[in-house]
Amino acid sequence: MNLAELIERFDLKVFSKGLELTRTIGGGYAGDLLSDVIAHGQKDQLWITIQVHPNIVAVAALKELAAVVLVNGREPAAETVARAEKERVPIFGTSLSAFEFSGRLYGQGIKGS
Amino acid sequence: MNREIVFRQKFEIQGGDFSRGGEVSCEVKNLLKELGLPAPSVRRAAIASYEAEMNVIMYAEHGVLDLSATPLKIRIVIEDSGPGIEDIELAMNEGYSTATPEMRELGFGAGMGLSNIKKNTDELEITSEIGKGTRLTMVVLTERHQP
Ligand SMILES: Nc1ncnc2c1ncn2[C@@H]1O[C@H](COP(=O)(O)OP(=O)(O)OP(=O)(O)O)[C@@H](O)[C@H]1O
Ligand SMILES: [Mg+2]
């Protein structure tokens, strides 16, 4: 599944504008502790989190994650969106919880590793 | 093989400046990529750089990152003026953190930064003086270096 298909299937909100959405998703990781995501996230994965501050962009960019999905209806800070567009890290949102969203992703064949 | 330094640049890191956290390391990563060094080594160096940069932002007043690269290795030295680390061995333990509640709310303070640095470097040296500051010397070998 690529990012554009993900947005469509899960009716995600797209916070970052003008970024390419053709990248194929290579699994997912859920976590709110940044160094834990650094340690365990893998390139091309989706990152599912409630963190919304600008630092999530650096983590996603450095780990080469496919995109960040903010759960529980969280909205990113304006600064986060600006940085995401600059570093080309797509940021999406859903009203679902991390558990619920991850479960549905898993059902669609996107797994942890 | 060419052992000469092909690249060197210094960057400033301002303690407490969370909103710019990680910017220096993103720049380090882009520069190393442009040099054409192997992607996995660049990734490891950038991650180590990020954790060290964040520690300066979280705990110190000011820091300087000195990046140098040859075709064989990436070397990053981060030196800060700050409180220093009293017990480096203890600080290296996964889970040990003196992060404030405010930092933890932002997702910092897992106590995993230094162990992430250890995992992503081939050589790591930490020296620290209480009340003065901390210095990390990190080396990542590029694949070309390995047999
Ligand atoms: N540059 C530094 N100056 C002073 N103390 C430091 C410095 N770097 C690390 N420390 C001390 O070492 C501890 C462990 O650092 P480490 O990076 O492993 O975890 P953390 O920063 O607490 O949490 P995380 O990195 O997971 O967000 C810190 O909580 C802090 O007490
Ligand atoms: Mg840290």
Side-chain angles (χ1 to χ4, degrees):
Chain A
M1 194 188 309
N2 73 19
L3 294 174
E5 288 161 344
L6 177 90
I7 293 163
E8 168 101 28
R9 267 190 230 182
F10 293 91
D11 194 22
L12 300 180
K13 224 175 174 169
V14 181
F15 293 114
S16 53
K17 303 287 176 235
L19 299 181
E20 207 181 303
L21 301 171
T22 52
R23 187 158 168 187
T24 300
I25 298 160
Y29 191 78
D32 304 320
L33 290 173
L34 304 182
S35 291
D36 174 69
V37 178
I38 291 270
H40 300 294
Q42 303 279 339
K43 187 174 180 296
D44 298 323
Q45 282 183 338
L46 272 188
W47 175 18
I48 295 140
T49 188
I50 58 165
Q51 297 293 355
V52 295
H53 58 93
N55 226 269
I56 60 173
V57 177
V59 171
L62 292 168
K63 289 297 289 186
E64 295 172 27
L65 304 175
V68 185
V69 181
L70 308 178
V71 292
N72 291 347
R74 293 245 190 171
E75 307 248 338
E79 231 177 301
T80 306
V81 175
R83 236 171 119 175
E85 288 167 356
K86 180 168 166 264
E87 300 287 343
R88 280 175 280 135
V89 173
I91 304 218
F92 310 140
T94 174
S95 56
L96 300 176
S97 71
F99 182 87
E100 190 60 34
F101 182 69
S102 302
R104 292 191 195 181
L105 271 182
Y106 215 92
Q108 299 272 330
I110 294 182
K111 312 217 161 159
S113 53
Chain B
M1 188 85 73
N2 176 18
R3 284 170 183 280
E4 272 164 51
I5 292 178
V6 294
F7 185 85
R8 180 146 188 204
Q9 191 167 328
K10 290 190 183 188
F11 305 83
E12 306 269 330
I13 302 165
Q14 198 48 53
D17 193 357
F18 279 86
S19 67
R20 295 190 50 203
E23 270 183 19
V24 165
S25 299
C26 285
E27 206 176 329
V28 163
K29 181 172 190 186
N30 291 336
L31 286 165
L32 291 173
K33 249 203 264 179
E34 278 168 28
L35 286 176
L37 293 168
S41 310
V42 171
R43 233 179 353 255
R44 294 178 76 218
I47 287 163
S49 168
Y50 168 81
E51 293 287 12
E53 177 188 354
M54 285 318 306
N55 282 351
V56 172
I57 291 174
M58 288 168 77
Y59 307 110
E61 275 110 59
H62 181 260
V64 174
L65 184 154
D66 182 354
L67 167 71
S68 54
T70 75
L72 302 181
K73 58 166 107 174
I74 301 162
R75 186 164 179 273
I76 297 172
V77 180
I78 296 195
E79 190 164 14
D80 69 50
S81 41
I85 303 175
E86 201 169 302
D87 184 341
I88 293 174
E89 211 178 309
L90 178 66
M92 291 292 299
N93 281 337
E94 217 174 284
Y96 176 83
S97 177
T98 61
T100 63
E102 292 78 21
M103 293 173 186
R104 288 174 200 262
E105 242 168 68
L106 296 175
F108 299 103
M112 293 175 72
L114 290 172
S115 60
N116 281 345
I117 292 173
K118 181 89 193 148
K119 272 186 238 159
N120 285 284
T121 51
D122 297 297
E123 291 166 31
L124 170 64
E125 190 191 48
I126 305 176
T127 55
S128 190
E129 206 181 317
I130 297 301
K132 285 245 165 105
T134 302
R135 179 192 172 101
L136 269 76
T137 304
M138 311 182 280
V139 172
V140 173
L141 304 176
T142 64
E143 279 85 346
R144 273 174 258 177
H145 198 83
Q146 285 146 21

